[in-house]
Amino acid sequence: MYDLIVIGGGPAGLAAACAAWEKGLNRILIVERDKELGGILNQCIHNGFGLHYFKEELTGPEYAGRFIQMLKDTGVEVRLDTMVLTVTPDRQVHMVGRDTGYRIEEARAIILAMGCRERTRGAIAIPGQRPAGVLTAGAAQRYVNMEGWLPGRRVVILGSGDIGLIMARRMTLEGAQVLACVEVMPYSGGLNRNIVQCLHDYDIPLYLSHTVTDIRGRDRVEQVVVSQVDERRQPIPGTEMVFDCDTLLLSVGLIPENELTRQAGIAMDPRTNGAVVYENMETSLPGVFACGNVAHVHDLVDFVTAESQRAGRAAADYVLGGAVPDGPVLEVKNGDGVTYTVPQHIRPGRVAKNCDLFFRVNRICGDSQILVQSGDTLIARFPREHLAPGEMEHIVLPRVLLDRASDSITVSIQEVASK
């Protein structure tokens, strides 16, 4: 029996395993379905990683390499090219690997770190024909950066998430012509720095409140039709623009990879599409933890690292100290202007000093206040000059403030009236 099985060898799994080893666990297994560790970072050859954690600017492979090297200094066991099929409520992990065959391993604790996947054309029901040349931005990124293939020469990108923005720049640098980036919302879904560095710097137009309403082509994409949308995101007749292109890249959102989580009977949050977690990233199933993009989609890998280290340490505490009575539990609710919160529950008795709380807003806000209330009582207030849905927000709640709350706390946004 293992002390801990970590499912996923990307940035979340690596950080969690290293933290659990440092906390005293000896028998740790990482199960990774790919042929190498590192996860999505291996294809993210652009820089911008590690500014928070390492205090220097790294590429994705460099960031992953740092943690892979840390792992080599431990006794953590790794199984590559191995797919986990099922996680049971009694913490059995069913897996199949090329070298090991079908195996069932038991663990005292499990960390779910499977990451996320991209939404596809089918998920958003784009009308039109079904030619070659329609693919997700992440797939195109792998083709270009790892396989050495250029997917197309004349490109339209639907969605302004960070991967789509980065691929606009990448395709341009490889010699393709990116005709437009199209976003159905009235604001971009990516980080502002990526809008500037990947679109503005290369004179790539961004069409907000627009979407693709038709794909044309028999064997290969020949044209896409882009239309303006109204406030209900419905296409406006007469606003069509036709782009002659051979490739359509989709950057239309990420979905936490939670089939295993659901199979295990773990409570899910429909707002994040991830597991409901406590302050230490423990799920509703004792001894099973979730961290990284499988819990909620992050902007920065540095935040994934910090969250996963918290999960790794908590898993070690669970194994070494056993289950601890819960005590009072605060439910964390999203109020006006907030889409979701993570964690969804906080046990003040388990918080040593501070509790990290992450959330996203559902609209662009100027000068604002983040309000944390328990009933009618305001327990904390955090000023912000700017808030946007494309950027995850983070606040720290001291234990002393949590002790003032009753049975729940609500996080909401209040915009400051301009003078």
Side-chain angles (χ1 to χ4, degrees):
M1 175 181 284
Y2 287 94
D3 291 335
L4 172 65
I5 294 178
V6 180
I7 304 174
L14 291 169
C18 289
W21 177 270
E22 291 172 0
K23 201 75 189 296
L25 295 191
N26 295 318
R27 295 211 66 209
I28 301 174
L29 171 65
I30 295 178
V31 184
E32 169 56 46
R33 66 184 179 186
D34 209 341
K35 291 177 170 51
E36 54 193 358
L37 295 171
I40 196 67
L41 291 180
N42 291 329
Q43 67 187 56
C44 299
I45 65 173
H46 52 280
N47 58 9
F49 299 90
L51 292 171
H52 293 266
Y53 188 78
F54 290 111
K55 307 303 181 188
E56 59 181 304
E57 195 170 39
L58 305 172
T59 65
E62 287 175 329
Y63 190 99
R66 296 278 181 98
F67 276 93
I68 292 171
Q69 187 58 48
M70 291 180 200
L71 195 73
K72 289 179 179 178
D73 297 332
T74 71
V76 175
E77 182 182 341
V78 176
R79 288 187 196 171
L80 299 175
D81 207 8
T82 301
M83 175 71 76
V84 173
L85 305 176
T86 306
V87 175
T88 67
D90 57 352
R91 298 193 291 279
Q92 287 187 338
V93 182
H94 295 238
M95 63 188 75
V96 61
R98 181 175 181 177
D99 298 327
T100 59
Y102 190 94
R103 298 287 295 270
I104 301 175
E105 303 288 1
E106 296 184 356
R108 294 183 173 87
I110 293 173
I111 293 179
L112 305 172
M114 295 86 71
C116 59
R117 65 177 186 269
E118 295 177 280
R119 293 186 192 276
T120 62
R121 175 182 178 177
I124 59 174
I126 303 175
Q129 296 171 284
R130 297 174 60 84
V134 181
L135 63 163
T136 64
Q141 187 180 56
R142 185 178 181 98
Y143 287 150
V144 174
N145 294 345
M146 297 186 71
E147 311 296 341
W149 299 340
L150 185 63
R153 292 288 180 181
R154 291 177 60 83
V155 184
V156 172
I157 298 176
L158 175 60
S160 60
D162 289 312
I163 301 176
L165 297 174
I166 288 165
M167 282 310 295
R169 176 179 61 186
R170 190 75 183 97
M171 295 292 283
T172 301
L173 292 174
E174 286 299 323
Q177 183 179 2
V178 179
L179 306 175
C181 184
V182 181
E183 171 59 57
V184 71
M185 300 300 287
Y187 48 79
S188 171
L191 295 171
N192 187 63
R193 75 180 189 199
N194 285 332
I195 297 170
V196 174
Q197 295 174 3
C198 301
L199 296 185
H200 295 174
D201 286 356
Y202 295 91
D203 295 324
I204 299 171
L206 172 61
Y207 293 96
L208 299 175
S209 297
H210 283 75
T211 192
V212 171
T213 51
D214 195 13
I215 298 174
R216 300 171 181 172
R218 182 173 179 178
D219 298 322
R220 177 85 190 191
V221 174
E222 298 171 8
Q223 294 179 329
V224 297
V225 179
V226 173
S227 301
Q228 189 175 349
V229 298
D230 59 22
E231 62 276 1
R232 293 174 297 134
R233 301 181 208 169
Q234 297 301 308
I236 302 173
T239 62
E240 295 85 359
M241 296 183 291
V242 179
F243 291 91
D244 294 322
C245 62
D246 60 15
T247 305
L248 175 64
L249 299 187
L250 305 178
S251 177
V252 291
L254 300 170
I255 306 171
E257 192 78 76
N258 271 304
E259 282 68 26
L260 295 174
T261 314
R262 294 187 181 91
Q263 287 175 7
I266 292 170
M268 303 294 294
D269 186 340
R271 302 172 301 174
T272 61
N273 289 315
V276 173
V277 294
Y278 291 94
E279 71 293 329
N280 63 352
M281 306 310 293
E282 187 173 20
T283 69
S284 61
L285 194 59
V288 178
F289 302 78
C291 59
N293 284 349
V294 80
H296 61 123
V297 177
H298 293 64
D299 305 325
L300 303 176
V301 71
D302 306 76
F303 293 156
V304 168
T305 295
E307 181 178 281
S308 302
Q309 289 174 329
R310 187 160 66 250
R313 289 190 288 266
D317 289 340
Y318 179 87
V319 172
L320 298 174
V324 179
D326 280 345
V329 179
L330 298 176
E331 180 183 2
V332 185
K333 301 178 180 179
N334 54 303
D336 181 55
V338 176
T339 304
Y340 73 78
T341 62
V342 173
Q344 292 86 351
H345 295 107
I346 298 174
R347 298 167 291 197
R350 301 276 194 97
V351 177
K353 187 176 180 181
N354 298 312
C355 177
D356 293 286
L357 186 67
F358 294 89
F359 65 93
R360 287 187 188 270
V361 297
N362 57 23
R363 63 178 185 268
I364 292 180
C365 302
D367 195 11
S368 303
Q369 299 280 344
I370 300 169
L371 306 180
V372 182
Q373 297 171 280
S374 180
D376 295 329
T377 303
L378 178 66
I379 63 174
R381 184 196 306 265
F382 302 87
R384 291 289 190 277
E385 293 182 356
H386 178 78
L387 297 165
E391 301 187 18
M392 190 168 67
E393 293 298 326
H394 171 223
I395 57 176
V396 178
L397 298 176
R399 164 74 184 270
V400 65
L401 296 182
L402 295 174
D403 288 336
R404 299 179 189 172
S406 53
D407 58 346
S408 68
I409 60 175
T410 301
V411 182
S412 58
I413 304 300
Q414 182 181 74
E415 290 193 72
V416 178
S418 57
K419 296 180 181 179

